[in-house]
Amino acid sequence: LYAQQFLVVRALAAPAVLLCSASNGIMRGYLDTKTPTLILLGSNAVNLILDIVLVANLGMGPQGAGIATTVAEWVAALCFLGVLSGKLPSAD
């Protein structure tokens, strides 16, 4: 039951995971490793904060962890798309 709650929510992040992986590869191809590192550090901070709020404070358990991770993944994907489209600056 707990695994199902987690995986159903996490499945919604599959496109974001693909976008992050592809964007990371594209940026590495441009020899930019700083920007992906900062984006991923930021998304991990979002994940940590949401984990604390959803799991520890609201008691949502695995479903809260799945929501936190999914939201953080989409934040990273949108940041990558913003940088690659030129709407957000890169770290270099």
Side-chain angles (χ1 to χ4, degrees):
L1 181 65
Y2 290 124
Q4 183 180 3
Q5 291 174 347
F6 179 80
L7 291 174
V8 166
V9 175
R10 282 294 291 138
L12 299 173
V17 172
L18 178 63
L19 280 169
C20 288
S21 295
S23 299
N24 197 356
I26 290 167
M27 290 184 162
R28 284 178 182 229
Y30 286 127
L31 302 179
D32 180 2
T33 56
K34 191 183 229 181
T35 302
T37 301
L38 292 176
I39 290 172
L40 294 175
L41 280 172
S43 73
N44 277 302
V46 169
N47 191 10
L48 175 64
I49 291 166
L50 288 176
D51 274 335
I52 292 169
V53 170
L54 297 176
V55 178
N57 293 345
L58 297 178
M60 293 180 70
Q63 187 175 21
I67 292 169
T69 306
T70 299
V71 168
E73 198 74 53
W74 276 107
V75 167
L78 293 174
C79 288
F80 275 120
L81 288 176
V83 170
L84 289 174
S85 69
K87 295 188 190 299
L88 294 175
S90 68
D92 284 341

